[in-house]
Every structure is written in C-alpha cells, then in structure tokens.
Amino acid sequence: TIRDMEDKNQFVQSLALTTMANIANEDICRDLSMVVEKLLFHSPYIRKKAALVAVRIINKCPEKIENYIEKMEPLLLEKNH
C-alpha cells in the first residue's frame, strides 16, 4: 500500500487512500500516517482524498490529531475542494 500511495499516477494513489480509509485498522493507520501527511501537499484531488483519510486515522487513533492540526487549517481555507 505504501508503494501505491507513492505512485506517480494520482488514480493509483487515490485508490490506495480509499482502500486504507475503508479497511485499515489502528496499527495500519499508525504505520501509514506519515505517508498520508505527505499527500496533504499534492494535487488538489489527492489532497482531498488524503484529508478524508486523515479524518479516519484520527477517528481510529486519536493521538495522531497533533500531526494533522497545523496541516489541515490551510486545506480548509483553500478554494479547491
């Protein structure tokens, strides 16, 4: 899944993010959280998907909220969503 999230094709990345959001458990969320954080700075399409996955990660691993607070604020102010 990490390889798919780092793929150059945004549709492969999107599919990996969607899969993670739907089937990942707490351990997988902890392991892949850093990759999702990096994807918050990609194209608008991937940023949106990564932000939705970040919400799922925070729901499953509340201790990860600190990693996302500063990164989410600029996303909320964007015009592309």
Side-chain angles (χ1 to χ4, degrees):
T1 301
I2 291 176
R3 189 173 27 175
D4 293 335
M5 286 187 189
E6 294 175 342
D7 197 277
K8 292 181 181 181
N9 185 326
Q10 71 177 0
F11 300 111
V12 173
Q13 288 177 323
S14 174
L15 183 60
L17 285 166
T18 302
T19 302
M20 182 186 163
N22 289 312
I23 66 171
N25 60 21
E26 290 177 24
D27 294 330
I28 293 172
C29 286
R30 282 189 195 94
D31 293 342
L32 298 179
S33 180
M34 295 293 289
V35 178
V36 174
E37 288 177 48
K38 290 178 189 174
L39 293 175
L40 290 171
F41 301 103
H42 279 253
S43 69
Y45 178 69
I46 296 300
R47 279 196 304 265
K48 181 179 178 182
K49 291 283 187 179
L52 294 170
V53 173
V55 171
R56 298 272 180 106
I57 289 172
I58 292 166
N59 283 336
K60 293 177 183 181
C61 303
E63 71 275 5
K64 291 290 185 181
I65 195 166
E66 296 298 322
N67 299 15
Y68 291 100
I69 288 177
E70 291 179 13
K71 295 174 179 110
M72 291 296 220
E73 187 176 349
L75 294 176
L76 295 172
L77 300 174
E78 267 189 14
K79 293 180 182 180
N80 295 324
H81 41 20

